[in-house]
Amino acid sequence: MSFSLSEQNDTIIALATPQGVGAIAVIRLSGKDAIQLTNEVFFGKNLSIQESHTIHFGTIRDGEKIIDEVLVSLFIAPKSFTKENVVEISTHGSSYIVNQVLKLFIRKGVRPAKPGEFTQRAFLNGQFDLAQAEAVADLIHADSETSHQAALSQMRGGFSSEIQELRNRLIHFASMIELELDFGEEDVEFASREELRALVERLLRVVEELILSFDLGNVIKNGVPTVIAGKPNAGKSTLLNALLNEEKAIVSEIAGTTRDFIEDEINIGGVIFRFIDTAGLRETTDIIEAIGVSRTQEKMKSASLILYLFDLGDTDLVEINRDINKLENQGVPFLKVANKVDKGNSQLISELKDKYPDTIFISAGNKENLEELKSRILVLVNLDKFRTGNTVVTNVRHYDSLVKTRESLLDILTGLDNEVTNDFVAMDIRRSLHFLGEITGEITTDDLLENIFRNFCIGK
């Protein structure tokens, strides 16, 4: 999905609202001839003499045939999303009407837009950088408060400005070292090596912090994979149903009812958690159940959080100690959740409170103490860094470029330690600038742009 120069000069059209029947539909055009071509089929005011950011009522006609009564919104270049002439036609939400309007414009030479083409034009015309363009797609797909905040912050340039500041500092030193290369025979120093070292060390600290933020960013964007694990009949399916407020999982007194795993999403405190109800952990001769137990163990290894659930009426402290030791060796954060508190023996409850005071006591069947469980889950995820306004990396492409930037910055320090010549130092600085430039789009390739924008919806 690459765009030729001639295609970039085309006027394009697409439905900007979701497919299907609704109260209204919005059809978007962008390009030099968008207003002129709309004016040829619009009966109302003369659009060619109207001001930008105005709305006009009239009809869209195919010859003498009225297709629909519409509202036409005008955005005259460069005061539009794409920085081109943009027209948005609000029609009634009939798929027949939408198709008739689209076909009318296509017959007049307007080209159907490709996925993400409106946003790509905005990027190519300097409306925003590549990181901000990617945030547009993230904002559209945001399904929680935190993912919305992260996308909005990136779209408004929070992440880009931090990257640009790093890049500008490096550009200054790169130019000074390049200047030294021009005067190589005169043994002059325009760029202090100690100042360069101090700058690179500062940049490394910032880059490291951004790299470390990716784990949190990934959670914000994609949700927290949370495994509910424990013995058969510990109440895992009951807990999932209670959290979801629906009968998602089959609940039975028969141990081993859940043979595979069941997954669903829950919004807790503005964060999406992907809860996974797994097969009970036990030794079994049942082949199907054994496969489910194996999959449970794999899910636990890849989880960001484990809810270790045990039945207070069907276990003892020795068994709980053994399970906790296994979980600690896995290195995945976990919460100890004691279920069926209404049926548990008082001695075990007392022992748990003494040895594991952080245990959460619930009754999934009676939906007792679930709010405390949710609060503890949020604490363990720890969104304080994000909520204090720190920049958080949510995009795997940005993470990859930052890792490569870190490697290049470390190469600069190694070169300074070994007193390498200026041309090698300059080469490492250029590599760092290249990887930082990939994030904001100052360094791009057709393949990179195609990979990014093909994941957008048509009409955006």
Side-chain angles (χ1 to χ4, degrees):
M1 189 198 69
S2 57
F3 297 90
S4 66
L5 184 59
S6 61
E7 284 184 316
Q8 291 170 23
N9 292 327
D10 291 345
T11 297
I12 57 175
I13 189 169
L15 177 64
T17 47
Q19 293 279 355
V21 177
I24 63 169
V26 178
I27 297 166
R28 174 184 282 172
L29 296 95
S30 181
K32 178 172 61 71
D33 299 325
I35 296 173
Q36 174 196 325
L37 291 170
T38 304
N39 201 42
E40 292 177 8
V41 298
F42 177 73
F43 285 73
K45 291 183 180 179
N46 182 355
L47 299 179
S48 64
I49 60 173
Q50 305 306 316
E51 294 184 359
S52 183
H53 292 72
T54 55
I55 301 175
H56 308 280
F57 173 76
T59 58
I60 294 289
R61 302 191 187 193
D62 184 0
E64 295 299 316
K65 176 185 174 185
I66 297 176
I67 296 177
D68 196 15
E69 292 184 341
V70 300
L71 290 175
V72 172
S73 304
L74 299 181
F75 305 92
I76 299 174
K79 297 179 180 179
S80 73
F81 177 71
T82 62
K83 287 201 166 186
E84 302 173 336
N85 287 333
V86 170
V87 175
E88 291 184 353
I89 305 171
S90 299
T91 72
H92 291 93
S94 154
S95 57
Y96 172 78
I97 292 171
V98 169
N99 288 333
Q100 291 301 305
V101 174
L102 290 173
K103 286 195 290 186
L104 176 61
F105 278 99
I106 290 169
R107 289 201 306 271
K108 296 183 75 64
V110 179
R111 176 172 59 78
K114 299 177 182 180
E117 189 167 1
F118 290 93
T119 305
Q120 179 160 1
R121 288 189 174 199
F123 162 67
L124 293 172
N125 292 330
Q127 180 73 280
F128 38 57
D129 66 33
L130 195 54
Q132 290 172 290
E134 288 169 297
V136 172
D138 290 343
L139 189 63
I140 291 170
H141 292 105
D143 55 4
S144 69
E145 178 187 356
T146 48
S147 59
H148 168 262
Q149 288 178 2
L152 191 62
S153 173
Q154 184 175 318
M155 191 179 76
R156 293 174 68 86
F159 177 57
S160 298
S161 59
E162 193 156 354
I163 294 298
Q164 192 57 54
E165 184 181 352
L166 298 180
R167 203 164 183 271
N168 287 341
R169 291 180 186 177
L170 268 180
I171 286 172
H172 171 71
F173 269 94
S175 61
M176 293 297 101
I177 289 176
E178 296 285 355
L179 195 59
E180 287 182 18
L181 290 172
D182 291 340
F183 290 88
E185 296 180 2
E186 299 182 26
D187 194 26
V188 293
E189 184 179 275
F190 294 105
S192 164
R193 295 302 180 268
E194 288 310 308
E195 288 182 17
L196 176 58
R197 179 185 296 278
L199 171 63
V200 170
E201 288 173 348
R202 284 202 304 274
L203 297 184
L204 268 172
R205 287 193 292 271
V206 175
V207 168
E208 280 286 357
E209 189 172 342
L210 290 172
I211 289 171
L212 290 173
S213 77
F214 179 68
D215 285 342
L216 174 60
N218 194 44
V219 158
I220 289 168
K221 184 175 179 179
N222 299 313
V224 186
T226 305
V227 168
I228 306 173
K231 284 170 54 180
N233 257 14
K236 299 182 296 297
S237 298
T238 304
L239 177 57
L240 178 65
N241 289 340
L243 290 169
L244 289 170
N245 274 322
E246 65 173 288
E247 297 298 313
K248 180 79 174 184
I250 298 171
V251 177
S252 168
E253 293 297 323
I254 303 170
T257 304
T258 305
R259 298 295 184 95
D260 201 339
F261 59 87
I262 300 168
E263 184 171 338
D264 212 330
E265 293 184 348
I266 306 169
N267 189 319
I268 301 176
V271 182
I272 295 296
F273 287 83
R274 292 190 286 110
F275 278 92
I276 305 158
D277 173 24
T278 58
L281 293 168
R282 68 170 179 177
E283 297 295 327
T284 178
T285 57
D286 186 299
I287 295 174
I288 302 300
E289 188 182 352
I291 294 171
V293 171
S294 175
R295 289 183 178 180
T296 294
Q297 292 166 340
E298 290 300 315
K299 285 287 181 182
M300 288 171 68
K301 290 176 185 177
S302 61
S304 294
L305 174 64
I306 296 172
L307 301 186
Y308 165 51
L309 190 73
F310 52 91
D311 180 351
L312 286 166
D314 185 34
T315 189
D316 54 41
L317 194 60
V318 173
E319 187 173 40
I320 293 169
N321 286 336
R322 184 176 66 245
D323 289 343
I324 288 174
N325 287 335
K326 289 179 181 177
L327 287 167
E328 286 175 341
N329 289 333
Q330 282 198 341
V332 177
F334 67 94
L335 287 174
K336 297 176 275 292
V337 185
N339 191 25
K340 305 182 185 178
V341 67
D342 50 324
K343 299 177 182 178
N345 71 73
S346 56
Q347 181 182 346
L348 178 57
I349 292 173
S350 178
E351 289 173 343
L352 283 168
K353 286 181 177 179
D354 286 340
K355 185 161 187 180
Y356 301 112
D358 59 343
T359 302
I360 306 162
F361 295 88
I362 69 166
S363 171
N366 297 330
K367 298 186 178 180
E368 183 182 332
N369 224 16
L370 294 187
E371 290 307 312
E372 183 189 346
L373 174 60
K374 291 177 184 179
S375 297
R376 292 281 296 280
I377 288 171
L378 277 175
V379 169
L380 207 60
V381 172
N382 187 15
L383 291 175
D384 289 345
K385 178 179 178 181
F386 173 69
R387 286 179 171 142
T388 53
N390 294 39
T391 300
V392 174
V393 176
T394 62
N395 186 303
V396 68
R397 187 183 71 83
H398 302 165
Y399 172 79
D400 181 59
S401 293
L402 286 166
V403 169
K404 291 174 180 175
T405 300
R406 177 179 60 186
E407 293 170 358
S408 299
L409 291 172
L410 288 171
D411 287 342
I412 295 172
L413 291 180
T414 301
L416 293 174
D417 289 338
N418 295 326
E419 299 182 349
V420 299
T421 57
N422 283 348
D423 50 347
F424 284 105
V425 174
M427 181 175 65
D428 289 332
I429 292 177
R430 283 195 294 269
R431 283 179 59 230
S432 299
L433 289 171
H434 174 88
F435 294 129
L436 287 172
E438 279 187 341
I439 295 174
T440 56
E442 286 155 298
I443 305 295
T444 60
T445 65
D446 288 342
D447 288 342
L448 173 64
L449 294 181
E450 179 177 348
N451 186 55
I452 290 170
F453 290 105
R454 73 182 176 193
N455 294 316
F456 280 61
C457 53
I458 295 174
K460 193 55 186 172

